[in-house]
Amino acid sequence: MKSVLSASWCHRAADFRRAMDEGELAATAILDWKHPRVLGLVAEVRGSAETDRDLLITAHRLITTRVRPVYAMNDEQPVSRTLLLERGSCSQRLALLEAVARACGIASQVRGLLVDGRFWYTRFPRLRALIPHQVMLAWPEFQLDGRWVSVSELYGDLDTLQQGGGFVNAGGETLFDAVARTAVDWDGLTCSSCDLSGYVLADLGYFSSRDLLFRTHGQTLCLPVRITADIIMSRRAA
């Protein structure tokens, strides 16, 4: 029994070292989980979770209530600042969820997706001309029970979640909120009402951090346009 436990511990230690080496647990410029403000949120989450999945669900719910959804444009904003402002875009709130995960020893990575700007037409019917042709999306995955699990399946498998009726990208619900209710399916694995694969222009693959994704492929908007747009949109409620 002792040798089995020792082997199991060594295996977990090796996984931990690999994740650290590849950046899947590391604090980064965006995921600055060592900041006291972020660690305060982590302490709240840890107090009521029994499993890693429970922990992430608790964190998701806390972020939903603590961080007001807005149309901020800076995907590289540190999560500690998002907490300070108490508002953030879908991407910024997903980053905060990642930061909490890493602080708790749960590795994360992101899948880079280029999404057709038409996906947002229903949300901005009068501003279609201003929506970029393609939008960079960093979609997180978490290592749970030895496998990578998309944030889309945090609350359950896609087959079960598809009963929620799909995400229409309108009203007050954002992608961050939608994963708690319905299948956010980027791969066409579910019913037609939940299938978002038709909006995916390119799958850029997996990155050990969203920092690396944006460093490699850039953000949706160039810096001058992003600064101007962020001033206007970062306070506008989603």
Side-chain angles (χ1 to χ4, degrees):
M1 177 65 72
K2 183 177 180 180
S3 62
V4 172
L5 289 175
S6 177
S8 175
W9 184 90
C10 289
H11 180 72
R12 287 177 62 87
D15 284 347
F16 183 88
R17 286 195 298 271
R18 179 189 61 79
M20 286 296 291
D21 290 341
E22 296 180 5
E24 295 160 357
L25 278 169
T28 68
I30 299 174
L31 308 176
D32 60 338
W33 60 259
K34 295 183 180 180
H35 192 283
R37 197 176 295 121
V38 182
L39 292 177
L41 179 63
V42 169
E44 291 187 63
V45 171
R46 276 180 166 159
S48 58
E50 295 183 1
T51 68
D52 286 348
R53 186 182 292 270
D54 290 340
L55 185 150
L56 292 179
I57 289 175
T58 299
H60 183 270
R61 289 171 174 165
L62 269 177
I63 294 166
T64 299
T65 59
R66 298 281 179 84
V67 183
R68 179 168 56 91
V70 296
Y71 296 116
M73 301 294 173
N74 183 13
D75 287 330
E76 294 184 338
Q77 175 173 285
V79 297
S80 60
R81 178 161 178 77
T82 300
L83 270 178
L84 174 66
L85 296 174
E86 297 183 339
R87 63 176 187 270
S89 66
C90 182
S91 178
Q92 290 166 349
R93 292 193 293 163
L94 285 170
L96 183 51
L97 181 61
E98 275 196 82
V100 171
R102 291 186 178 207
C104 295
I106 303 170
S108 75
Q109 64 180 11
V110 294
R111 181 183 181 188
L113 298 171
L114 280 182
V115 180
D116 195 322
R118 290 177 297 175
F119 180 58
W120 282 269
Y121 278 6
T122 53
R123 188 172 290 275
F124 302 103
R126 298 180 180 179
L127 299 174
R128 291 184 177 183
L130 301 179
I131 297 175
H133 294 302
Q134 56 188 30
V135 175
M136 178 70 72
L137 184 65
W139 199 244
E141 295 192 352
F142 304 95
Q143 197 167 72
L144 299 174
D145 300 322
R147 67 184 185 92
W148 288 107
V149 176
S150 169
V151 69
S152 298
E153 296 188 280
L154 183 58
Y155 283 81
D157 62 84
L158 293 180
D159 286 339
T160 301
L161 288 169
Q162 69 181 332
Q163 299 172 16
F167 175 69
V168 297
N169 207 1
E173 185 180 59
T174 70
L175 283 168
F176 180 88
D177 305 309
V179 297
R181 178 188 64 81
T182 188
V184 179
D185 177 12
W186 299 112
D187 297 293
L189 302 175
T190 58
C191 61
S192 58
S193 62
C194 295
D195 180 7
L196 303 178
S197 62
Y199 292 105
V200 177
L201 301 176
D203 186 340
L204 302 175
Y206 295 91
F207 296 79
S208 59
S209 70
R210 59 183 50 230
D211 303 60
L212 180 57
L213 169 63
F214 295 129
R215 188 162 60 246
T216 304
H217 293 284
Q219 296 189 53
T220 298
L221 300 175
C222 64
L223 183 60
V225 175
R226 185 168 68 247
I227 291 174
T228 302
D230 198 57
I231 292 172
I232 298 171
M233 301 296 288
S234 63
R235 295 179 182 271
R236 180 173 174 177

